[in-house]
């Protein structure tokens, strides 16, 4: 031990002792010693894992996530528009919520992380027709607090979950944006120029917000080739910019563009409302558009009627005839207005500080399982929630572990390791409870229990003793032969089985991709030793990386050695590039194997997984060859390493 200090970690009552070790394996690594309240972790019921319980004495190196909603789900961005969930990126600004006193209010927040996976999915249908596609572990804000999509009332899966008596909180299903058609552009120009422009012997449009000015300038050029000059406009109020032209042909084209239409057309009406709102509208609790021109007020009313908005007209009884068209229905209708007509000025679309209200028609009508195999996405935000498809969505409870502890989702997973120093005694207490049914416990499915520092803390021996004393079957997945230290203790555990991850025997590939792991030969020797001791042990060739460790010769060598070691099973798992691991791995390729970069960009262009054909090709490398690997029926096969674990290899 070289240094000791303390730091408070969220979720732990007592400060963690922070230690560093003077060893090559531990350079630049901090170890946070904490006292955990529990040891047994329940696997979510919807998980495809073949076990229900895990024990993880360490948090770090790897993490596991639960994924939320479908890729097409529209997320409300900080600029007041929506973006599909799959297109969100860390650093984006989105709307979440914050509690202020007795009210929860909308607030703009950063996206901290974004990832995806294949999960079982459910369809939640609401009264207004909104459909929400989400995992069973996702939570929505309801009239009775946060509720999971699925759960039970009495058995171990008991948790607050949605029922047909619940109503979700939010604005309701967002409409799609208007089409950028000529009708929309003409309508926008008519609204913004008639509302705030001057058209006589010269045309001039002066605005304080560049977004509307630039949109008008672009539409004039694209619709009629009207070339305008931009300049600083002197005014007594705020600094303004303006566009102008005095050419006769340009003036004639502008007059033609802003003519009133013959009959109401939906896209023109959307554009007109966007333009007149940018010119004369405001939103401060309610949405209003003011004007003195009866023709403009008439077309605002006509457009509102056509698009299905409810409103009232307020006559201020001034000499200039000023009237105000005020939108009715509260924030849900304001957001429908913004998203339907798409005003250009972001400042006027902000809803920060607006209180959440439950007046939208968001009663739960149905909850239907859609089965397995759905790609779902999740994000982590600064507020802990976001607006998805018009309702408030919570970051999944199993979001990346370190973000709960104020660590980031990148390098901190490798360099900031949390050590639960009291796990053995807590586990013994939990296993002694009369309610414990001696179900299978899997280790190494979230973090490697035999990572390097286990040689210092020695937590696993007492964990094995506790499992043996309470007749609890268990399995372990690891990359380290350090588990041989505990072989005699493991033999006392009923139904014990093990798997070691060995992706390659090629010296160059191993040093390039797993520089901080034990040598593959040492791992294979551990497989042989475990099987000789009567502990069923197999191997996982994971990850299989195209062009790096997937040649038939390389895999054949592993299969030969696995057979010699008496491995009871061999499995192959294709490389996953999920979340931040994708960037880490592609950066590694750029520096070490630039010849493979185009191939990987093509294979992983659509997400974290290689195409099905490629995955099947890689999996087939481990089958056949005239060998027979058997896994005893009593031993449960531990799963493949989670995709994010692979990040620790690089």
């Amino acid at each position: 031990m070289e240094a000791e200090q303390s730091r408070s970690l969220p979720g732990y009552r007592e400060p963690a002792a922070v230690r560093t070790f003077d060893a090559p394996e531990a350079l630049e690594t901090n170890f946070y010693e904490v006292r955990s309240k529990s040891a047994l972790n329940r696997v979510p019921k919807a998980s495809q894992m073949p076990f229900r319980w895990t024990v993880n004495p360490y948090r770090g190196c790897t993490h596991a996530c639960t994924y939320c909603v479908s890729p097409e789900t529209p997320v409300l961005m900080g600029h007041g528009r929506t973006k599909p969930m799959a297109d969100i990126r860390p650093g984006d600004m989105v709307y979440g919520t914050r509690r202020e006193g007795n009210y929860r209010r909308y607030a703009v927040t950063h996206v901290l992380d974004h990832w995806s996976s294949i999960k079982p999915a459910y369809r939640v249908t609401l009264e207004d027709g909104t459909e929400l596609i989400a995992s069973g572990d996702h939570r929505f804000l309801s009239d009775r607090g946060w509720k999971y999509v699925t759960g039970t009332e009495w058995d171990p899966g008991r948790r607050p979950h949605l029922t047909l008596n619940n109503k979700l909180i939010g604005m309701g299903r967002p409409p799609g944006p208007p089409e950028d058609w000529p009708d929309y552009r003409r309508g926008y120009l008519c609204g913004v120029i008639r509302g705030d422009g001057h058209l006589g012997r010269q045309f001039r449009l002066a605005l304080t917000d560049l977004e509307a000015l630039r949109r008008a300038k672009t539409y004039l050029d694209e619709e009629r080739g009207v070339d305008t000059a931009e300049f600083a406009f002197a005014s007594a109020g705020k600094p303004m910019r303006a566009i102008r032209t005095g050419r006769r042909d340009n003036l004639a084209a502008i007059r033609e563009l802003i003519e009133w239409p013959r009959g109401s057309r939906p896209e023109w009406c959307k554009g007109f409302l966007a333009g007149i709102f940018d010119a004369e509208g405001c939103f401060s609790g309610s949405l209003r558009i003011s004007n003195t021109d009866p023709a403009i007020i008439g077309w605002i009313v006509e457009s509102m009627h056509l698009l299905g908005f409810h409103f009232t007209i307020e006559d201020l009884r001034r000499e200039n005839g000023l009237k105000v068209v005020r939108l009715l229905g509260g924030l849900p209708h304001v957001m429908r207005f913004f998203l339907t007509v798409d005003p250009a000025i972001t400042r006027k679309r902000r809803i920060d500080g607006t209180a959440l209200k439950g007046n939208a028609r968001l009663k739960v009508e149905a909850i239907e399982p859609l089965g397995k195999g759905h790609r779902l996405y999740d994000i982590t935000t600064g507020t802990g929630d976001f607006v998805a498809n018009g309702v408030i969505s919570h970051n999944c409870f199993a979001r990346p572990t370190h973000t709960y502890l104020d660590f980031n989702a990148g390098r901190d997973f490798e360099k900031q390791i949390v050590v639960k120093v009291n796990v053995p005694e807590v586990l013994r207490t939990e296993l002694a409870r009369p309610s414990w049914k001696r179900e299978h416990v899997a280790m190494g499915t979230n973090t490697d229990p035999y990572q390097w520092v286990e040689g210092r803390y020695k937590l696993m021996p007492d964990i094995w003793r506790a499992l043996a004393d309470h007749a609890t079957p268990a399995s372990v997945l690891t990359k380290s032969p350090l588990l041989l230290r505990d072989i005699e203790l493991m033999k006392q555990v009923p139904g014990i089985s093990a798997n070691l991850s060995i992706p390659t025997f090629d010296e160059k590939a191993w040093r390039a991709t797993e520089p901080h792991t034990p040598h593959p030969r040492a791992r294979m020797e551990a497989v042989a030793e475990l099987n000789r001791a009567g502990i069923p042990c197999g191997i996982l060739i994971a990850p299989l990386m195209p062009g790096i460790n997937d040649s038939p010769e390389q895999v054949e060598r592993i299969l030969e050695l696995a057979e010699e070691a008496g491995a009871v099973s061999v499995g192959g798992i294709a490389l996953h590039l999920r979340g931040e691991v994708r960037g880490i791995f592609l950066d590694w390729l750029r520096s070490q194997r630039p010849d493979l970069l185009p191939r990987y960009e093509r294979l992983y262009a659509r997400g974290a997984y290689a195409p099905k054909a490629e995955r099947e090709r890689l999996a087939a490398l481990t089958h056949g060859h005239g060998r027979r690997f058997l896994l005893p029926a009593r031993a449960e096969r531990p799963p493949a390493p989670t995709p994010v674990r692979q990040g620790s290899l690089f």
Side-chain angles (χ1 to χ4, degrees), residues 553-613:
E553 295 77 18
Q554 285 180 290
V555 176
E556 176 65 21
R557 176 61 175 155
I558 297 176
L559 293 173
E560 289 175 354
L561 294 171
E563 189 173 30
E564 293 175 9
V568 297
S569 63
V570 175
I573 307 296
L575 175 70
H576 300 169
L577 295 179
R578 188 184 293 170
E580 294 191 1
V581 175
R582 179 187 183 90
I584 295 170
F585 186 79
L586 293 181
D587 286 345
W588 177 83
L589 282 178
R590 289 186 185 94
S591 63
Q592 302 295 324
R593 293 295 304 273
D595 56 309
L596 291 176
L597 186 60
R599 181 178 179 183
Y600 276 81
E601 289 177 337
R602 184 177 66 256
L603 286 173
Y604 295 90
R606 295 191 175 183
Y609 296 87
K612 182 179 179 182

Side-chain angles (χ1 to χ4, degrees), residues 162-179:
L162 293 177
T163 70
L164 302 187
N165 294 321
N166 289 137
K167 179 181 179 182
L168 299 190
I169 304 299
M171 313 165 196
R173 178 178 53 185
E179 298 288 350

Side-chain angles (χ1 to χ4, degrees), residues 282-288:
C282 67
F283 170 65
S284 56
S286 62
L287 187 148
R288 293 177 168 87

Side-chain angles (χ1 to χ4, degrees), residues 290-439:
S290 308
N291 207 271
T292 59
D293 186 336
I296 291 178
I297 293 294
W299 275 103
I300 294 173
V301 169
E302 178 72 18
S303 299
M304 290 276 201
H305 272 309
L306 182 67
L307 298 175
F309 293 112
H310 299 287
F311 59 93
T312 187
I313 302 174
E314 299 173 348
D315 189 345
L316 301 186
R317 301 191 181 280
R318 296 182 182 176
E319 291 183 3
N320 62 2
L322 181 67
K323 292 184 179 179
V324 177
V325 180
R326 179 167 58 86
L327 190 68
L328 301 176
L331 188 61
H333 290 266
V334 170
M335 287 307 303
R336 188 167 78 84
F337 178 90
F338 287 154
L339 296 171
T340 298
V341 310
D342 192 28
I345 300 175
T346 301
R347 171 182 60 84
K348 293 187 176 185
R349 302 173 63 139
R350 298 293 291 266
I351 62 171
D352 308 52
T354 306
L356 275 69
K357 296 183 179 179
N359 55 350
R361 296 171 54 247
L362 299 178
K363 184 177 180 296
V364 177
E365 295 284 352
I367 305 171
E368 308 166 78
L370 299 180
K372 301 177 180 179
H374 291 262
R375 180 171 295 284
L376 302 175
Y377 288 75
D378 193 15
I379 58 176
T380 298
T381 70
T383 58
D385 58 7
F386 55 98
V387 183
N389 217 357
V391 298
I392 311 304
S393 294
H394 200 285
N395 291 335
C396 280
F397 77 96
R399 53 185 265 199
T401 316
H402 273 40
T403 57
Y404 274 138
L405 305 177
D406 290 341
F407 296 128
N408 66 47
R411 184 172 172 79
D412 283 355
F413 279 109
E414 300 176 12
K415 295 300 183 181
Q416 311 296 332
I417 311 302
V418 177
V419 185
K420 303 175 188 177
V421 293
N422 65 330
V423 160
E425 50 263 42
V426 173
L427 176 63
R428 184 173 289 277
T429 299
E430 293 176 339
L431 295 177
R433 292 172 180 166
S435 59
W436 176 244
K437 305 301 182 183
R438 294 180 173 79
E439 296 180 70

Side-chain angles (χ1 to χ4, degrees), residues 103-115:
Y103 294 95
R104 186 180 289 273
R105 300 180 183 274
Y106 289 100
V108 175
T109 183
H110 277 96
V111 175
L112 305 176
D113 202 2
H114 176 266
W115 60 91

